[in-house]
Amino acid sequence: MMPRALRARLLLASLLLLPVFFGLTGFALQQAFHHSLEAAEEERLKLQVYLILGAAELKGDRIMIPDDIQEPRYAQVESGLYGFLHEGDEMLVWYSESAKLISDTLLEQLAFDGLSTGDSRFDQLPEQGLFVYQFALLWEIAGKEHNYVFTVLESDSSVKTEQKAFNTRLWGWLGGAIFFFLLIETALIRWGLKPLTRLAEDLKRIEMGQSDKLTGEYPTEVQAVTDNLNLLIHNERQQRERYRNTLGDLAHSLKTPLAVIRGAGQEKLDFNGYQTLVTEQAGRMDQIVQYQLSRAVKSQGRTLAKKTPVAPLIQRMVTALSKVYRDKDVEVALDLQGEYQLAADERDLMELLGNVLENAFKYGRSQVAVSFSNGSGMLQIDIADDGEGVSPELRQTILKRGERADTSAPGQGIGLSVAVDILSSYDGELEISESAYGGALFSIRFPLN
């Protein structure tokens, strides 16, 4: 079963690959050393043939090899170095004192075919543990040509001993190298994976609420991941905040149709009129719920929408709010000259205008005025009231979510922030100043194109 930890996987791969790599390396070095030993052995035996050839003497019509050759091992029986001289068709002419106990079977294994004058042959007889070197030459004696083959045999025990000693040292060093490399690689893997460990720690801090994002410095290969994680965390928090805000916006938006339904009992409507009013407001509430749900999941940005007439929308909103605030007997002045249409979702405009108009009805004393003006490609909708107004130092504060200028009146302080949010998605603006009635003047500027 493959381990799940990345560090364990890398170490396991190293444990599998390093022995294979060093094994192949060791095998190659072992073979190279063996070939070098054979080459050295061939050179030694060649020198022995030249030594015998140099000691050869001509007696009559034959070549004789004296017993006192400079190499003393030729005179020692079973010394491991043996010399032979053959003439013609494998006729033995001479053999060294050391070769007295060499069996005829061994001599029969010596090959003479294929050796021409001046040729040499180097071979090994593994079963007998001997190396063989043969050299063929043509010697003219008394006008007659004689073919001779000089043969030298030497035991391979010294070569095997050297090879064994080399193998022992080689595999010992390679084993140590594998262990050393594993230690180094363990340290390198730990160092290389340290950014991932730090990333896990940073994510843990975010999970525990100790940090808002990944702030550590990471390698280039990991930086892209951390940037995407930060973007994901940011988007997730924005989405969560949008859900939270949507719940508040939904509760805020449902207040008006609920108030209309609640106040319908005071209007002394007949059954059909009451049923029509409730059905209308229930439909409005359904639109509000659907609208807020869509706002909760849609991404920020301007979308294509069909043109929405503004004046009829304002008139509907004023009619509904007049019913909600009937006890204040608010006088509404509408100056809606021009059939302006805005490229915006009708539900967005209802939410935007409804929040600002409700503020005017709520905080105004008895007068509310709504008017249009057009300039620089923007439609300006001015909504004025005769209330206490908003002091200059609070005009930006109340546009933030949850902030209110008057905490004595009921409310959550989110209506204006919703209006600003909607306006920003359409590149619009909201400005607060003092109205001609002495109260607040909310100027909504909305692009006409």
Side-chain angles (χ1 to χ4, degrees), residues 117-193:
T117 302
D119 291 343
S120 62
R121 177 190 290 153
F122 177 75
D123 201 357
Q124 186 177 9
L125 302 175
E127 296 180 358
Q128 285 71 32
L130 296 170
F131 286 104
V132 181
Y133 186 84
Q134 296 174 300
F135 178 69
L137 59 79
L138 181 65
W139 202 316
E140 185 177 348
I141 303 174
K144 185 178 179 181
E145 294 181 347
H146 297 265
N147 293 314
Y148 290 100
V149 176
F150 289 84
T151 302
V152 175
L153 303 177
E154 187 174 26
S155 172
D156 61 2
S157 58
S158 61
V159 172
K160 288 182 177 179
T161 300
E162 288 186 54
Q163 183 73 58
K164 184 178 180 179
F166 175 79
N167 291 347
T168 301
R169 292 193 300 270
L170 173 66
W171 294 111
W173 279 104
L174 289 179
I178 291 175
F179 179 74
F180 176 74
F181 270 90
L182 285 175
L183 290 179
I184 295 298
E185 188 167 5
T186 301
L188 289 177
I189 290 174
R190 185 172 183 178
W191 175 71
L193 296 179

Coordinates of all heavy atoms in Angstrom, one line a residue, residues 117-193:
T117 N 51.4 -17.2 -38.3 CA 52.7 -16.7 -37.9 C 52.5 -15.3 -37.5 O 52.0 -14.4 -38.2 CB 53.7 -16.8 -39.1 OG1 53.8 -18.2 -39.5 CG2 55.0 -16.3 -38.7
G118 N 53.0 -15.0 -36.3 CA 53.0 -13.6 -35.7 C 51.7 -13.4 -34.9 O 51.6 -12.3 -34.3
D119 N 50.7 -14.3 -34.9 CA 49.5 -14.1 -34.1 C 49.7 -14.5 -32.7 O 50.6 -15.3 -32.4 CB 48.4 -15.0 -34.7 CG 47.9 -14.4 -36.1 OD1 48.3 -13.3 -36.4 OD2 47.2 -15.1 -36.8
S120 N 48.8 -13.9 -31.9 CA 48.8 -14.3 -30.4 C 47.4 -14.5 -30.0 O 46.4 -14.0 -30.6 CB 49.5 -13.2 -29.6 OG 48.7 -12.0 -29.7
R121 N 47.2 -15.3 -28.9 CA 45.9 -15.5 -28.4 C 45.9 -15.5 -26.9 O 46.8 -16.1 -26.3 CB 45.4 -16.9 -28.9 CG 44.0 -17.3 -28.4 CD 43.7 -18.7 -28.7 NE 43.4 -18.9 -30.1 CZ 43.6 -20.0 -30.8 NH1 44.1 -21.1 -30.2 NH2 43.4 -20.1 -32.1
F122 N 44.9 -14.8 -26.3 CA 44.8 -14.8 -24.9 C 43.4 -15.3 -24.5 O 42.4 -14.9 -25.1 CB 44.9 -13.4 -24.3 CG 44.7 -13.2 -22.9 CD1 45.7 -13.6 -22.0 CD2 43.5 -12.7 -22.3 CE1 45.5 -13.5 -20.6 CE2 43.3 -12.6 -21.0 CZ 44.3 -13.0 -20.1
D123 N 43.4 -16.3 -23.6 CA 42.1 -16.9 -23.2 C 42.2 -17.3 -21.7 O 43.2 -17.2 -21.1 CB 41.9 -18.1 -24.1 CG 40.4 -18.5 -24.2 OD1 39.6 -17.9 -23.5 OD2 40.1 -19.5 -24.9
Q124 N 41.0 -17.8 -21.3 CA 40.9 -18.3 -19.9 C 40.2 -19.6 -19.9 O 39.3 -19.9 -20.6 CB 40.1 -17.3 -19.0 CG 40.1 -17.7 -17.5 CD 39.3 -16.6 -16.7 OE1 38.7 -15.7 -17.3 NE2 39.4 -16.7 -15.4
L125 N 40.8 -20.5 -19.0 CA 40.2 -21.8 -18.8 C 39.6 -21.8 -17.4 O 40.2 -22.1 -16.4 CB 41.2 -22.9 -18.9 CG 42.0 -23.0 -20.2 CD1 43.1 -24.0 -20.2 CD2 41.1 -23.3 -21.4
P126 N 38.3 -21.4 -17.3 CA 37.7 -21.2 -15.9 C 37.7 -22.4 -15.1 O 37.9 -22.4 -13.9 CB 36.3 -20.7 -16.3 CG 36.3 -20.2 -17.7 CD 37.4 -21.0 -18.4
E127 N 37.4 -23.6 -15.7 CA 37.3 -24.8 -14.9 C 38.6 -25.2 -14.3 O 38.6 -25.8 -13.2 CB 36.8 -25.9 -15.8 CG 35.3 -25.7 -16.3 CD 34.9 -26.9 -17.2 OE1 35.7 -27.8 -17.4 OE2 33.7 -26.8 -17.6
Q128 N 39.7 -24.9 -15.0 CA 41.0 -25.2 -14.5 C 41.6 -24.0 -13.7 O 42.7 -24.2 -13.1 CB 42.0 -25.6 -15.6 CG 41.8 -27.0 -16.2 CD 40.5 -27.0 -17.0 OE1 40.1 -26.1 -17.6 NE2 39.9 -28.2 -17.0
G129 N 41.0 -22.9 -13.7 CA 41.5 -21.7 -13.0 C 42.8 -21.2 -13.6 O 43.7 -20.8 -12.8
L130 N 42.9 -21.2 -14.9 CA 44.2 -20.8 -15.6 C 43.9 -19.7 -16.7 O 42.8 -19.8 -17.3 CB 44.9 -22.0 -16.2 CG 45.4 -23.1 -15.3 CD1 45.8 -24.3 -16.1 CD2 46.5 -22.5 -14.4
F131 N 44.9 -18.9 -16.9 CA 44.9 -18.0 -18.0 C 45.9 -18.6 -19.1 O 46.9 -19.1 -18.7 CB 45.3 -16.6 -17.7 CG 44.3 -15.8 -16.9 CD1 44.4 -15.6 -15.5 CD2 43.2 -15.2 -17.6 CE1 43.4 -14.9 -14.9 CE2 42.2 -14.5 -16.9 CZ 42.3 -14.3 -15.5
V132 N 45.6 -18.4 -20.3 CA 46.4 -18.9 -21.4 C 46.8 -17.8 -22.4 O 46.0 -17.0 -22.8 CB 45.7 -20.0 -22.2 CG1 46.6 -20.6 -23.3 CG2 45.2 -21.1 -21.3
Y133 N 48.1 -17.8 -22.7 CA 48.6 -16.9 -23.7 C 49.5 -17.7 -24.7 O 50.4 -18.4 -24.3 CB 49.4 -15.8 -23.1 CG 49.8 -14.7 -24.1 CD1 48.9 -13.7 -24.5 CD2 51.0 -14.8 -24.8 CE1 49.3 -12.7 -25.4 CE2 51.4 -13.8 -25.7 CZ 50.5 -12.8 -26.1 OH 50.8 -11.9 -27.0
Q134 N 49.2 -17.6 -26.0 CA 49.9 -18.3 -27.0 C 50.4 -17.4 -28.1 O 49.7 -16.4 -28.4 CB 49.0 -19.4 -27.7 CG 48.5 -20.5 -26.7 CD 47.5 -21.4 -27.3 OE1 46.5 -21.0 -27.7 NE2 47.9 -22.7 -27.4
F135 N 51.6 -17.7 -28.6 CA 52.2 -16.9 -29.6 C 52.9 -17.8 -30.6 O 53.7 -18.7 -30.3 CB 53.3 -16.0 -29.0 CG 54.0 -15.1 -30.0 CD1 53.4 -14.1 -30.6 CD2 55.4 -15.3 -30.3 CE1 54.0 -13.3 -31.5 CE2 56.0 -14.6 -31.2 CZ 55.4 -13.5 -31.8
A136 N 52.5 -17.6 -31.9 CA 53.0 -18.4 -33.0 C 54.0 -17.7 -33.8 O 53.9 -16.5 -34.1 CB 51.8 -18.8 -33.9
L137 N 55.1 -18.4 -34.2 CA 56.2 -17.7 -35.0 C 56.8 -18.8 -36.0 O 56.6 -20.0 -35.8 CB 57.2 -17.1 -34.2 CG 58.0 -18.0 -33.2 CD1 59.1 -18.8 -33.9 CD2 58.7 -17.1 -32.1
L138 N 57.4 -18.3 -37.0 CA 58.1 -19.1 -38.0 C 59.6 -18.9 -37.8 O 60.1 -17.8 -37.9 CB 57.6 -18.7 -39.4 CG 58.3 -19.5 -40.6 CD1 57.8 -21.0 -40.5 CD2 57.9 -18.9 -41.9
W139 N 60.3 -20.1 -37.6 CA 61.7 -20.0 -37.4 C 62.4 -20.8 -38.5 O 62.1 -22.0 -38.6 CB 62.0 -20.6 -36.0 CG 63.3 -20.1 -35.4 CD1 64.5 -20.0 -36.1 CD2 63.6 -19.7 -34.1 NE1 65.5 -19.5 -35.3 CE2 65.0 -19.3 -34.0 CE3 62.8 -19.6 -32.9 CZ2 65.6 -18.9 -32.8 CZ3 63.4 -19.2 -31.8 CH2 64.8 -18.8 -31.7
E140 N 63.3 -20.2 -39.1 CA 64.1 -20.9 -40.2 C 65.4 -21.4 -39.6 O 66.2 -20.7 -39.1 CB 64.4 -19.9 -41.4 CG 65.0 -20.6 -42.6 CD 65.2 -19.7 -43.7 OE1 64.7 -18.6 -43.7 OE2 66.0 -20.1 -44.7
I141 N 65.5 -22.8 -39.8 CA 66.7 -23.4 -39.2 C 67.3 -24.3 -40.3 O 66.7 -25.2 -40.9 CB 66.4 -24.4 -38.0 CG1 65.7 -23.5 -36.9 CG2 67.6 -25.0 -37.5 CD1 65.2 -24.4 -35.8
A142 N 68.6 -24.0 -40.7 CA 69.3 -24.7 -41.7 C 68.5 -24.7 -43.0 O 68.4 -25.8 -43.6 CB 69.6 -26.1 -41.2
G143 N 67.9 -23.6 -43.3 CA 67.2 -23.4 -44.6 C 65.8 -24.1 -44.6 O 65.2 -24.1 -45.6
K144 N 65.4 -24.5 -43.4 CA 64.1 -25.2 -43.4 C 63.2 -24.4 -42.3 O 63.7 -24.1 -41.3 CB 64.2 -26.6 -42.9 CG 62.9 -27.4 -43.0 CD 63.1 -28.9 -42.6 CE 61.8 -29.6 -42.6 NZ 62.0 -31.0 -42.2
E145 N 62.0 -24.2 -42.7 CA 61.1 -23.4 -41.9 C 60.4 -24.3 -40.9 O 59.9 -25.4 -41.2 CB 60.0 -22.7 -42.7 CG 60.6 -21.6 -43.6 CD 59.5 -20.9 -44.4 OE1 58.4 -21.4 -44.5 OE2 59.8 -19.8 -45.0
H146 N 60.3 -23.8 -39.6 CA 59.7 -24.6 -38.6 C 58.6 -23.6 -37.9 O 58.9 -22.5 -37.6 CB 60.7 -25.0 -37.5 CG 61.7 -26.0 -38.0 ND1 61.6 -27.3 -37.9 CD2 62.9 -25.7 -38.7 CE1 62.6 -27.9 -38.5 NE2 63.5 -27.0 -38.9
N147 N 57.4 -24.2 -37.7 CA 56.4 -23.4 -37.0 C 56.4 -23.8 -35.5 O 56.3 -25.0 -35.2 CB 55.0 -23.8 -37.6 CG 54.8 -23.2 -39.0 OD1 55.2 -22.1 -39.3 ND2 54.3 -24.1 -39.9
Y148 N 56.5 -22.8 -34.7 CA 56.5 -23.0 -33.3 C 55.4 -22.2 -32.6 O 55.0 -21.1 -33.1 CB 57.8 -22.5 -32.7 CG 59.0 -23.4 -33.0 CD1 59.9 -23.1 -34.1 CD2 59.2 -24.6 -32.3 CE1 60.9 -23.9 -34.4 CE2 60.3 -25.5 -32.7 CZ 61.1 -25.1 -33.7 OH 62.2 -25.9 -34.1
V149 N 54.9 -22.7 -31.5 CA 53.8 -22.0 -30.7 C 54.3 -22.0 -29.2 O 54.5 -23.1 -28.6 CB 52.5 -22.7 -30.8 CG1 51.5 -22.0 -29.9 CG2 51.9 -22.7 -32.2
F150 N 54.6 -20.8 -28.7 CA 55.0 -20.7 -27.3 C 53.7 -20.5 -26.5 O 52.8 -19.6 -26.8 CB 55.9 -19.4 -27.2 CG 57.2 -19.6 -27.7 CD1 57.5 -19.4 -29.1 CD2 58.3 -20.0 -26.9 CE1 58.8 -19.6 -29.6 CE2 59.6 -20.2 -27.4 CZ 59.8 -20.0 -28.8
T151 N 53.5 -21.2 -25.4 CA 52.3 -21.2 -24.6 C 52.8 -21.0 -23.1 O 53.7 -21.6 -22.6 CB 51.5 -22.5 -24.7 OG1 51.2 -22.7 -26.0 CG2 50.3 -22.4 -23.8
V152 N 52.1 -20.0 -22.5 CA 52.3 -19.8 -21.1 C 50.9 -19.9 -20.3 O 50.0 -19.3 -20.8 CB 52.9 -18.4 -20.8 CG1 53.0 -18.1 -19.3 CG2 54.3 -18.3 -21.5
L153 N 50.9 -20.6 -19.3 CA 49.7 -20.7 -18.4 C 50.0 -20.1 -17.1 O 51.1 -20.3 -16.5 CB 49.3 -22.2 -18.2 CG 49.0 -23.0 -19.5 CD1 48.7 -24.5 -19.1 CD2 47.9 -22.4 -20.3
E154 N 49.1 -19.5 -16.5 CA 49.2 -18.9 -15.2 C 47.9 -19.0 -14.4 O 46.8 -18.8 -14.9 CB 49.7 -17.5 -15.2 CG 50.0 -16.9 -13.8 CD 50.6 -15.6 -13.8 OE1 50.4 -14.8 -14.7 OE2 51.4 -15.2 -12.9
S155 N 48.0 -19.4 -13.1 CA 46.9 -19.5 -12.3 C 46.1 -18.2 -12.2 O 46.8 -17.1 -12.1 CB 47.3 -20.0 -10.9 OG 46.2 -20.0 -10.0
D156 N 44.8 -18.2 -12.1 CA 44.0 -17.0 -12.0 C 43.7 -16.7 -10.5 O 42.9 -15.8 -10.2 CB 42.7 -17.1 -12.7 CG 41.8 -18.3 -12.2 OD1 42.2 -18.9 -11.2 OD2 40.7 -18.5 -12.8
S157 N 44.4 -17.3 -9.6 CA 44.1 -17.1 -8.1 C 44.4 -15.7 -7.7 O 43.7 -15.1 -7.0 CB 44.9 -18.1 -7.3 OG 46.3 -18.0 -7.5
S158 N 45.5 -15.1 -8.2 CA 45.9 -13.8 -7.8 C 44.9 -12.8 -8.4 O 44.5 -11.8 -7.7 CB 47.3 -13.4 -8.4 OG 47.3 -13.5 -9.8
V159 N 44.4 -13.0 -9.6 CA 43.4 -12.1 -10.2 C 42.1 -12.2 -9.4 O 41.5 -11.2 -9.1 CB 43.2 -12.5 -11.7 CG1 42.0 -11.7 -12.2 CG2 44.4 -12.2 -12.5
K160 N 41.7 -13.4 -9.0 CA 40.5 -13.6 -8.2 C 40.6 -12.9 -6.9 O 39.7 -12.3 -6.4 CB 40.2 -15.1 -8.1 CG 39.7 -15.7 -9.3 CD 39.3 -17.2 -9.0 CE 38.8 -17.9 -10.3 NZ 38.5 -19.3 -10.0
T161 N 41.8 -13.0 -6.3 CA 42.0 -12.4 -5.0 C 41.9 -10.9 -5.1 O 41.3 -10.2 -4.3 CB 43.4 -12.8 -4.4 OG1 43.5 -14.2 -4.3 CG2 43.7 -12.1 -3.1
E162 N 42.5 -10.3 -6.1 CA 42.4 -8.8 -6.3 C 41.0 -8.4 -6.6 O 40.5 -7.4 -6.1 CB 43.3 -8.4 -7.5 CG 44.8 -8.5 -7.2 CD 45.6 -7.9 -8.3 OE1 45.4 -6.7 -8.7 OE2 46.5 -8.6 -8.8
Q163 N 40.3 -9.3 -7.4 CA 38.9 -8.9 -7.8 C 38.1 -9.0 -6.5 O 37.2 -8.1 -6.3 CB 38.4 -9.9 -8.8 CG 37.0 -9.6 -9.3 CD 36.9 -8.4 -10.2 OE1 37.5 -8.4 -11.2 NE2 36.1 -7.4 -9.8
K164 N 38.3 -10.0 -5.7 CA 37.5 -10.1 -4.5 C 37.7 -9.0 -3.5 O 36.8 -8.4 -2.9 CB 37.8 -11.4 -3.8 CG 36.9 -11.7 -2.6 CD 37.3 -13.1 -2.0 CE 36.4 -13.4 -0.8 NZ 36.7 -14.7 -0.2
A165 N 39.0 -8.6 -3.4 CA 39.3 -7.5 -2.5 C 38.7 -6.2 -3.0 O 38.2 -5.3 -2.3 CB 40.8 -7.3 -2.4
F166 N 38.8 -6.0 -4.4 CA 38.2 -4.8 -5.0 C 36.6 -4.8 -4.8 O 36.1 -3.7 -4.4 CB 38.5 -4.8 -6.5 CG 37.8 -3.6 -7.2 CD1 38.3 -2.3 -7.1 CD2 36.7 -3.9 -7.9 CE1 37.7 -1.3 -7.8 CE2 36.0 -2.8 -8.6 CZ 36.5 -1.5 -8.5
N167 N 36.0 -5.9 -5.0 CA 34.6 -6.0 -4.8 C 34.2 -5.7 -3.4 O 33.2 -5.0 -3.1 CB 34.1 -7.4 -5.2 CG 34.2 -7.7 -6.6 OD1 34.4 -6.8 -7.4 ND2 34.0 -9.0 -7.0
T168 N 34.9 -6.2 -2.4 CA 34.6 -5.9 -1.0 C 34.7 -4.5 -0.7 O 33.8 -3.9 -0.1 CB 35.6 -6.7 -0.1 OG1 35.5 -8.1 -0.4 CG2 35.3 -6.4 1.4
R169 N 35.8 -3.8 -1.2 CA 35.9 -2.4 -1.0 C 34.8 -1.6 -1.7 O 34.2 -0.6 -1.2 CB 37.3 -1.9 -1.4 CG 38.4 -2.4 -0.5 CD 39.7 -1.7 -0.8 NE 40.1 -1.9 -2.2 CZ 40.9 -2.8 -2.7 NH1 41.4 -3.7 -1.8 NH2 41.2 -2.9 -4.0
L170 N 34.6 -2.0 -3.0 CA 33.6 -1.3 -3.8 C 32.2 -1.3 -3.2 O 31.6 -0.3 -3.0 CB 33.6 -1.9 -5.2 CG 32.5 -1.4 -6.2 CD1 32.8 0.1 -6.5 CD2 32.4 -2.2 -7.4
W171 N 31.7 -2.5 -2.8 CA 30.4 -2.6 -2.3 C 30.3 -2.0 -0.9 O 29.2 -1.5 -0.5 CB 29.9 -4.0 -2.3 CG 29.7 -4.6 -3.7 CD1 30.4 -5.5 -4.4 CD2 28.7 -4.1 -4.7 NE1 30.0 -5.7 -5.6 CE2 29.0 -4.8 -5.9 CE3 27.7 -3.1 -4.6 CZ2 28.2 -4.6 -7.0 CZ3 27.0 -3.0 -5.8 CH2 27.2 -3.7 -6.9
G172 N 31.4 -2.1 -0.2 CA 31.4 -1.4 1.1 C 31.2 0.1 1.0 O 30.4 0.8 1.7
W173 N 32.0 0.7 0.0 CA 31.9 2.1 -0.2 C 30.5 2.5 -0.8 O 29.9 3.5 -0.4 CB 33.0 2.6 -1.2 CG 34.3 2.8 -0.5 CD1 35.4 2.0 -0.5 CD2 34.6 3.9 0.3 NE1 36.4 2.6 0.2 CE2 36.0 3.8 0.8 CE3 34.0 5.1 0.7 CZ2 36.6 4.6 1.6 CZ3 34.6 6.0 1.6 CH2 35.9 5.8 2.0
L174 N 30.0 1.7 -1.7 CA 28.7 2.0 -2.3 C 27.6 1.9 -1.3 O 26.7 2.7 -1.3 CB 28.4 1.0 -3.5 CG 29.3 1.3 -4.7 CD1 28.9 0.3 -5.8 CD2 29.1 2.7 -5.3
G175 N 27.7 0.8 -0.4 CA 26.7 0.7 0.7 C 26.7 2.0 1.6 O 25.7 2.5 2.0
G176 N 28.0 2.4 1.9 CA 28.1 3.6 2.7 C 27.5 4.8 2.0 O 26.9 5.7 2.6
A177 N 27.8 4.9 0.7 CA 27.3 6.0 -0.1 C 25.8 6.0 -0.2 O 25.2 7.1 -0.1 CB 27.8 5.9 -1.6
I178 N 25.2 4.8 -0.3 CA 23.7 4.7 -0.3 C 23.1 5.3 1.1 O 22.2 6.1 1.1 CB 23.2 3.3 -0.5 CG1 23.5 2.9 -1.9 CG2 21.7 3.1 -0.2 CD1 23.2 1.4 -2.2
F179 N 23.8 4.9 2.2 CA 23.3 5.3 3.5 C 23.5 6.8 3.6 O 22.6 7.6 4.1 CB 24.1 4.6 4.6 CG 23.8 5.0 6.0 CD1 22.6 4.6 6.6 CD2 24.6 5.8 6.7 CE1 22.2 5.0 7.8 CE2 24.3 6.2 8.0 CZ 23.1 5.8 8.6
F180 N 24.7 7.3 3.1 CA 25.0 8.8 3.2 C 24.0 9.5 2.3 O 23.4 10.6 2.8 CB 26.4 9.0 2.7 CG 26.8 10.5 2.7 CD1 27.0 11.2 3.8 CD2 26.9 11.1 1.4 CE1 27.3 12.5 3.8 CE2 27.2 12.5 1.4 CZ 27.4 13.2 2.5
F181 N 23.7 9.0 1.1 CA 22.8 9.7 0.3 C 21.4 9.7 0.8 O 20.6 10.7 0.7 CB 22.8 9.1 -1.1 CG 23.8 9.7 -2.1 CD1 25.1 9.2 -2.2 CD2 23.4 10.8 -2.9 CE1 26.0 9.7 -3.0 CE2 24.4 11.3 -3.7 CZ 25.6 10.8 -3.8
L182 N 21.0 8.7 1.5 CA 19.7 8.6 2.1 C 19.5 9.7 3.2 O 18.5 10.3 3.4 CB 19.3 7.2 2.7 CG 19.0 6.2 1.6 CD1 18.8 4.8 2.3 CD2 17.7 6.6 0.9
L183 N 20.6 9.8 4.0 CA 20.6 10.8 5.0 C 20.5 12.2 4.4 O 19.7 13.1 4.9 CB 21.9 10.7 5.9 CG 22.0 9.5 6.8 CD1 23.3 9.5 7.6 CD2 20.8 9.5 7.8
I184 N 21.3 12.5 3.4 CA 21.3 13.8 2.7 C 19.9 14.0 2.1 O 19.4 15.1 2.2 CB 22.4 13.9 1.7 CG1 23.8 13.8 2.3 CG2 22.3 15.1 0.8 CD1 24.1 14.9 3.3
E185 N 19.4 13.0 1.5 CA 18.1 13.2 0.8 C 17.0 13.4 1.8 O 16.1 14.2 1.6 CB 17.8 12.0 -0.1 CG 16.5 12.2 -0.9 CD 16.4 11.2 -2.0 OE1 17.2 10.2 -2.0 OE2 15.5 11.3 -2.8
T186 N 17.1 12.7 3.0 CA 16.1 13.0 4.0 C 16.1 14.4 4.4 O 15.1 15.1 4.6 CB 16.4 12.1 5.2 OG1 16.3 10.7 4.8 CG2 15.3 12.3 6.3
A187 N 17.3 15.0 4.6 CA 17.5 16.4 5.0 C 17.0 17.3 3.9 O 16.3 18.3 4.1 CB 18.9 16.7 5.3
L188 N 17.3 16.9 2.6 CA 16.9 17.8 1.5 C 15.3 17.7 1.3 O 14.7 18.7 1.0 CB 17.5 17.3 0.2 CG 19.0 17.6 0.1 CD1 19.6 17.0 -1.2 CD2 19.3 19.1 0.1
I189 N 14.7 16.5 1.5 CA 13.3 16.4 1.4 C 12.6 17.2 2.5 O 11.6 18.0 2.2 CB 12.9 14.9 1.5 CG1 13.3 14.2 0.2 CG2 11.4 14.8 1.7 CD1 13.0 12.7 0.3
R190 N 13.2 17.2 3.7 CA 12.6 17.9 4.8 C 12.7 19.4 4.5 O 11.8 20.2 4.8 CB 13.3 17.6 6.1 CG 12.7 18.2 7.3 CD 13.3 17.7 8.6 NE 12.7 18.3 9.7 CZ 13.0 17.9 11.0 NH1 13.9 17.0 11.2 NH2 12.4 18.5 12.0
W191 N 13.9 19.8 4.0 CA 14.1 21.2 3.6 C 13.2 21.6 2.5 O 12.6 22.7 2.5 CB 15.6 21.5 3.3 CG 15.8 22.9 2.8 CD1 15.9 24.0 3.5 CD2 16.2 23.2 1.5 NE1 16.2 25.1 2.7 CE2 16.4 24.6 1.5 CE3 16.3 22.5 0.3 CZ2 16.7 25.3 0.3 CZ3 16.7 23.2 -0.9 CH2 16.9 24.6 -0.9
G192 N 13.1 20.8 1.4 CA 12.3 21.1 0.3 C 10.8 21.1 0.6 O 10.1 21.9 0.0
L193 N 10.3 20.3 1.5 CA 8.9 20.3 1.9 C 8.6 21.3 3.0 O 7.4 21.3 3.4 CB 8.5 18.9 2.3 CG 8.6 17.8 1.2 CD1 8.1 16.5 1.7 CD2 7.7 18.2 0.0

